[in-house]
Structure formats: C-alpha cells, structure tokens
Amino acid sequence: MTEEEKQIIRKYNEHRKSILRSTTEPRGVRILLIALSVLFMSLFLFVPLVSIFYEAFRSGAGFFLRAVSDRAAMSALRMTLLATCISVPANLVFGLCAAWCIGKFQFRGKSILVSLIDIPFAISPVIAGLLFIFLFGTNSLLGIWFRDHGYRILYAAPSVVIVTIFVTFPFVVREILPVIQAQGTEEEQAARVLGARGWHIFWRVTLPNIRWAVLYGVILCNARAMGEFGAVMVVVGNSPKTNTLPLHINALYQGYADPAAPFAVATLLALMAILTLVLKCFVEWKMSSAESDA
Amino acid sequence: MANLRGQKKFVSIVPPGLRLVERSVLPGFKLTMGLTVTYLSLVVLIPLSGLFLATRHLTFGDFCHIMQNDLVAKSFKLTFGASLCAALVNAVMGFIVAWVLVRYRFVGRRLLDMMVDLPFALPTAVSGIALAQIYSEKGWIGQFLPIPIRGTPIGVTLALIFIGLPFVIRTLQPAIADIDRELEEVSASLGARRHQTFLRVIFPTLSPALITGFAMAFARAVGEYGSVLFIGGMIPGKTEIMSSVILSKLYEENGQVPASAVALVMLAVSFGILLLINLIQIWANRRFALAN
C-alpha cells in the first residue's frame, strides 16, 4: 500500500467518524435532554403515582383496610365490576365482528363506517353522559316508555353500564383492525379452499394471528371501563347507591371523611393502572416478537 | 342448470365497479356487518341523534344569548386557553421525551417508556386527587412554589398537561423511529451542522406527527373533566371549564337546552379537530408519496 493510498484511507475514516458524530447530538446535549426528560416525567407522572400510596397509608394500615373494606367501598367496587364485566365482553364481541367485516372485505362506505366507530373517542365524557340523559330523560319517548313499564334506567345501574359501553366502544376494534388489515386474507382464503367452515377459519387461522392485539384492546378497554368518571357521574347524579369506584373517591374527597380515605380507595384503581401498564408492556413485547418471527 | 344461471346472473347484473361489496370466498360478511351496524346504531348513533333532537327548539338567538352569558363565556376562554397552553407544553416536552426514548440508551429507559401511558391507565379521578394533593399549599411540590396552584387556572393547565402528554409522545415515537438515518448522514456529509440537520431535515419530517399529537392532546384537554375537577375546584367564573358548565346547567331548572347548546359547541370543536387530524394525515401521506 502506497503512502498516498494510506492517506486516502485515513481521510476516509476521519470523514466517516465525523459523519457518525454529526448524526447524533453532542454528549453534553444528550445528557441534558435525558436529565430533562427524566425530571419532567418524574414530576408529572411518578410523583402523583407515589403520592397516592403515601397518602393512603398515612393514617395507618388499619385505617387503610377499613376504608377499603367499608360497605360503601364494597358497593362501589361491585358496581365498577358489574359495568366492566358487561361492557368489556360486549365491546370485545363487537370489536371482533367489526374487525372481521372491515378487515376482510372490500365494500363501499368502509371509511365512513370506520369514522363512525371512532366517534366515542371524540366525544368528551360529560357529553357522553349528557347524550343518555337526553335519550332516557323524562321528556324523551324512550324515557316515558321505560318509566311506564316500571324500569329505571337513569340514576341507576343500567345507565352506568350503558354509558360505560359507550365510552369504551372503540377500544378493542381500534387495536384489532390495523393487525387484521395487515394480515390480509390469503391465509383465510387458503383455509376456505381447503374446505374449512367459517367458525373454523376464525378460531384456527384468524384468531391466532390477532390474539395479542385482541388482548391489548381488552386491557385498554378494561382500564377505561373501570376508571370512567365524568360520563358515569352525569347519568348517576347524586345517588350513592350507584356509585362506582371513581365516584366513591369523589364522594369521599368532597365529603367530611378522613383525608386518607379517598386515597385508600384510589390505591385499588392505581394498582389496576400499574397492572395495565405491565400487561401492556408484555403484550407489546409479544407483538413485536411475533412480528419479527413473521 | 340453475346453478349456471345463477352464476351468470351474478356476473352480468352488476358491473364490478358499481358493486357494493366485492366478492370474496370468505363467509360471514352479512352477519358481522349486520351486527356491527346494529350495535353501532344502538350504542352510538341513536344516542347522538338524541342530542340533536334535544336542540331542535334552540333558535339562533337563544344560542347567542346562552353563549354571551358571562360564566359560559369565561368557561370557554379558560377551557380553550388552558387546553392550548397544555397542548403547547406537551408538544415541546413530549418532543424531547419521545426523542430521548427513541434515540438514546440509558438506565431506566424502559421504565420511563412504560410510565408514558400512565395517564391513559390511571383513572382521571385518581390522578385528579393525586395532583390536587401534591400541588396543595402543603403538598410535596406545592410547598416549594411561590404561587397557589389549587383553585387557579394554572392548576387546571397542570392537570391538562398530565392527561395530554401520552398523545404527543406516542404519536411521535414511531415517526422518530421511522426517520431514515441515511438522510441525516447525507445531510452531515454535505456539511450541515447538527442543528442545521435537525431544523432542515429531521423537524420537517416529524412535523405532521407533531401537529397530530398536539391536536389530539388539545382535543382531549378540551373534553377533560375528572382530573380538572379536584385541582381546579370548578369555581364558577374562575376555574370552571365547559364540561362543568354543562353539568351545572343540567341541575338547573329548564337547563337542558343551555346544556345542549354548550355541548354542541364542544362537539363541533372535537369533530373539527378530528377532521383536521385526518387532513394532516392525508397531506403527510401525499407529501411522503411525492418524496418517494
């Protein structure tokens, strides 16, 4: 190798290094940005989360246990579980149906249907509650019909369930749809040509491909269903019997209870949120490893 | 023979371009479509039409009268002002956090990434009381601040920053990961300094995602109720936001019409933002297609 060639190689290497250096920020800037992010996220996300547990146990573990197992808290927990156990499966079945017909078929008006499904995302919780006040109110036809037949919808459990279904409506389908669309229809067509029946195709071919997306949607749907506040508050009004956990927290906070009481009840929901985050992370990891396998 | 005739009929009657549904060998279209549309109508469309029915007696004059009400007008200003401030803070801080999470490797990165979704997962009532507590005069953060936060518009804005943050970060992360590193190398090898590359190459590529995230955070902030209730206190004329005005109107006598009028404005804003996000998406796709 001549001296001239060596010099060219050296120059080339220097140039490469300078390019590598110039496609990231200087070390000082990097450290500054990381520190800023960690500080911001800690102040805004971590501190509030930790403070819930701290406040909950401030009056002692005994008080905590009493606040959580108190009759009103138990009734609120039951109401929350009732609304969740109905709305999540209902939206799961709907999500699978909608994803199948939108993801596997080509038809006119598809984009309109997708936009309509997204509507509950765009409607704020209080307005969602308001919709059902109008629908089942004393001035509406439906409201009069239900009243005459002795059913109580508003300010009672049915409206809690219905409004929870409304606010969590798009969660499952929004997660499944992109995955089912990316899968295409070749595998199902092959199964069909080989003689598989409809349900068989769904259980054996489609569902294994989308199972993590389904779980992901269910996790998000569940978190929202358990935590909905504004919409439920509107349809329930001031009837403590139908309080859900978030409403019970509000009642304790606004009332004359011990300041630790709302936080004690809030730990239940905070634990649910932490579990949601962990599960979500796990499913994301599963999804990305499934993607890299394919 | 019948089979043959049937097949022939199908092919000849509807030209392919006008068919409502493209033929497919897969079963279940009618069933799933029927269920989807029925459920959608029952849960979303019929309740939504109820709101428009409720506003049928509302005249334009009444509408203006309601909007000019002092408390309503103040709640409008606060809602949009605080939401705008919160979305701006989220856009700036969200950009930095998303950049750090995608580009840099450091201890605790995964935990930080997991925490981003906390405002989605944590019920608003819970985050509401937590924020109210730490920003109170004796709270963990509030005691160090020279100005009161609880019961002020600043408190409202803080709560809105909390709930809107994931929207910006989660929209930007895939966009940052998708940036072609070669573009940065090309830019650098052509002699651009890092800040020039950032401003001229990286930032323009990310701007659709940033605007989308900003719009989503803004839309969410406008509709938020739970977390604002506790830290803001919903003091009429001071920290009362539009959602709360709707609620308090509902409890008044003959309050349904004013409540629905305010709700209509909020709905119009949310749908406008949704439309804007879709337009940005179309614009970004087209620009991206041209660049290729």
Side-chain angles (χ1 to χ4, degrees):
Chain A
M1 203 182 279
T2 66
E3 195 55 39
E4 201 181 348
E5 276 172 341
K6 270 184 189 163
Q7 205 171 354
I8 288 173
I9 287 173
R10 210 180 58 236
K11 262 194 173 166
Y12 171 79
N13 279 337
E14 262 172 25
H15 188 62
R16 258 199 76 77
K17 253 185 219 161
S18 79
I19 287 177
L20 280 179
R21 220 181 302 124
S22 52
T23 54
T24 186
E25 288 72 42
R27 203 180 141 79
V29 176
R30 280 206 306 261
I31 292 173
L32 185 76
L33 288 180
I34 291 174
L36 196 63
S37 301
V38 172
L39 185 73
F40 180 78
M41 297 281 282
S42 308
L43 278 183
F44 267 85
L45 303 180
F46 207 67
V47 171
L49 185 63
V50 174
S51 80
I52 296 165
F53 291 95
Y54 175 79
E55 297 291 337
F57 285 100
R58 215 162 59 159
S59 298
F63 178 83
F64 172 83
L65 287 175
R66 250 175 293 140
V68 176
S69 57
D70 152 51
R71 256 180 74 193
M74 278 296 138
S75 130
L77 180 65
R78 264 199 300 279
M79 188 55 84
T80 294
L81 289 179
L82 174 76
T84 310
C85 291
I86 295 177
S87 62
V88 174
N91 285 332
L92 172 65
V93 172
F94 160 76
L96 288 170
C97 275
W100 180 265
C101 91
I102 294 168
K104 299 293 182 193
F105 298 93
Q106 297 301 323
F107 57 90
R108 290 182 168 231
K110 193 191 237 184
S111 56
I112 297 175
L113 186 61
V114 174
S115 317
L116 288 179
I117 288 175
D118 268 345
I119 285 179
F121 272 156
I123 293 181
S124 78
V126 170
I127 296 181
L130 188 73
L131 295 182
F132 291 93
I133 292 277
F134 286 142
L135 191 66
F136 297 117
T138 42
N139 303 327
S140 78
L141 285 174
L142 259 173
I144 292 166
W145 190 88
F146 277 116
R147 197 189 56 204
D148 291 349
H149 288 75
Y151 295 109
R152 210 174 144 79
I153 305 287
L154 280 182
Y155 316 113
S159 64
V160 177
V161 174
I162 293 170
V163 86
T164 308
I165 290 179
F166 178 89
V167 293
T168 55
F169 178 79
F171 277 86
V172 183
V173 62
R174 286 309 292 172
E175 297 308 323
I176 306 178
L177 198 54
V179 181
I180 220 169
Q181 276 176 328
Q183 294 283 344
T185 55
E186 281 91 359
E187 287 178 37
E188 281 83 1
Q189 281 172 357
R192 181 70 178 160
V193 170
L194 290 172
R197 302 268 302 273
W199 280 111
H200 209 70
I201 298 178
F202 177 74
W203 285 111
R204 294 292 182 82
V205 181
T206 311
L207 200 58
N209 279 332
I210 59 168
R211 60 178 179 211
W212 294 116
V214 173
L215 185 58
Y216 197 83
V218 167
I219 293 168
L220 297 185
C221 187
N222 175 67
R224 182 67 195 266
M226 292 188 95
E228 182 50 38
F229 177 70
V232 180
M233 186 171 177
V234 177
V235 294
V236 160
N238 294 321
S239 51
K241 265 191 197 162
T242 43
N243 269 357
T244 58
L245 280 180
L247 290 179
H248 185 54
I249 292 172
N250 180 38
L252 289 174
Y253 194 85
Q254 315 283 1
Y256 298 102
D258 187 290
F263 289 93
V265 179
T267 51
L268 297 179
L269 289 171
L271 284 175
M272 181 277 295
I274 293 170
L275 188 69
T276 301
L277 291 184
V278 173
L279 273 175
K280 193 170 168 290
C281 240
F282 171 74
V283 173
E284 271 164 11
W285 171 68
K286 277 283 178 191
M287 274 164 115
S288 66
S289 64
E291 213 169 86
S292 57
D293 282 351
Chain B
M1 192 63 188
N3 191 12
L4 186 70
R5 214 171 60 203
Q7 224 171 17
K8 214 174 166 187
K9 218 167 142 189
F10 202 103
V11 176
S12 59
I13 279 188
V14 193
L18 289 176
R19 230 175 257 152
L20 280 176
V21 186
E22 261 178 48
R23 293 193 69 195
S24 164
V25 294
L26 296 180
F29 178 74
K30 278 182 190 161
L31 175 73
T32 53
M33 185 68 171
L35 276 173
T36 303
V37 172
T38 311
Y39 190 72
L40 176 73
S41 312
L42 283 179
V43 175
V44 180
L45 300 182
I46 293 175
L48 199 61
S49 62
L51 176 68
F52 292 104
L53 275 180
T55 51
R56 69 189 183 279
H57 299 306
L58 186 76
T59 63
F60 186 70
D62 289 342
F63 181 79
C64 293
H65 186 71
I66 294 164
M67 294 306 133
Q68 276 159 3
N69 176 303
D70 188 41
L71 290 183
V72 175
K74 273 185 178 159
S75 80
F76 270 45
K77 260 185 222 154
L78 175 69
T79 307
F80 290 121
S83 301
L84 198 66
C85 290
L88 281 173
V89 172
N90 277 333
V92 175
M93 288 315 296
F95 193 101
I96 295 173
V97 175
W99 183 264
V100 165
L101 285 176
V102 176
R103 283 295 173 96
Y104 306 153
R105 292 291 169 268
F106 53 95
V107 185
R109 187 184 69 92
R110 298 209 61 131
L111 182 69
L112 207 61
D113 192 58
M114 208 168 99
M115 289 293 289
V116 170
D117 285 314
L118 185 71
F120 281 156
L122 202 63
T124 50
V126 178
S127 48
I129 58 170
L131 288 172
Q133 185 68 28
I134 56 177
Y135 288 106
S136 69
E137 288 76 27
K138 287 174 196 159
W140 287 354
I141 300 178
Q143 59 180 316
F144 300 111
L145 298 174
I147 40 166
I149 301 287
R150 270 181 82 171
T152 67
I154 302 171
V156 174
T157 312
L158 276 176
L160 296 179
I161 293 173
F162 176 85
I163 52 120
L165 188 64
F167 289 95
V168 178
I169 299 179
R170 290 293 183 232
T171 327
L172 272 171
Q173 269 179 322
I176 294 174
D178 273 352
I179 296 176
D180 199 347
R181 286 302 273 266
E182 280 176 23
L183 282 179
E184 286 170 60
E185 284 172 23
V186 168
S187 166
S189 70
L190 289 173
R193 305 289 296 273
R194 187 59 187 163
H195 67 268
Q196 286 172 320
T197 305
F198 184 82
L199 285 178
R200 302 257 177 116
V201 179
I202 297 171
F203 195 74
T205 344
L206 294 179
S207 55
L210 185 64
I211 300 170
T212 305
F214 172 81
M216 285 163 81
F218 180 74
R220 173 71 207 260
V222 169
E224 179 56 23
Y225 176 74
S227 52
V228 180
L229 169 66
F230 301 98
I231 195 168
M234 301 295 178
I235 305 159
K238 193 181 174 202
T239 56
E240 193 177 44
I241 54 168
M242 285 163 80
S243 294
S244 167
V245 168
I246 294 177
L247 259 176
S248 48
K249 291 271 177 220
L250 263 185
Y251 293 129
E252 285 170 17
E253 206 159 322
N254 299 323
Q256 290 210 343
V257 171
S260 59
V262 179
L264 269 188
V265 175
M266 282 180 72
L267 268 187
V269 171
S270 342
F271 285 131
I273 294 170
L274 209 64
L275 190 70
L276 178 80
I277 292 171
N278 281 322
L279 289 178
I280 293 167
Q281 232 69 240
I282 293 170
W283 166 70
N285 284 345
R286 195 173 294 160
R287 217 175 77 139
F288 189 66
L290 278 181
N292 279 347

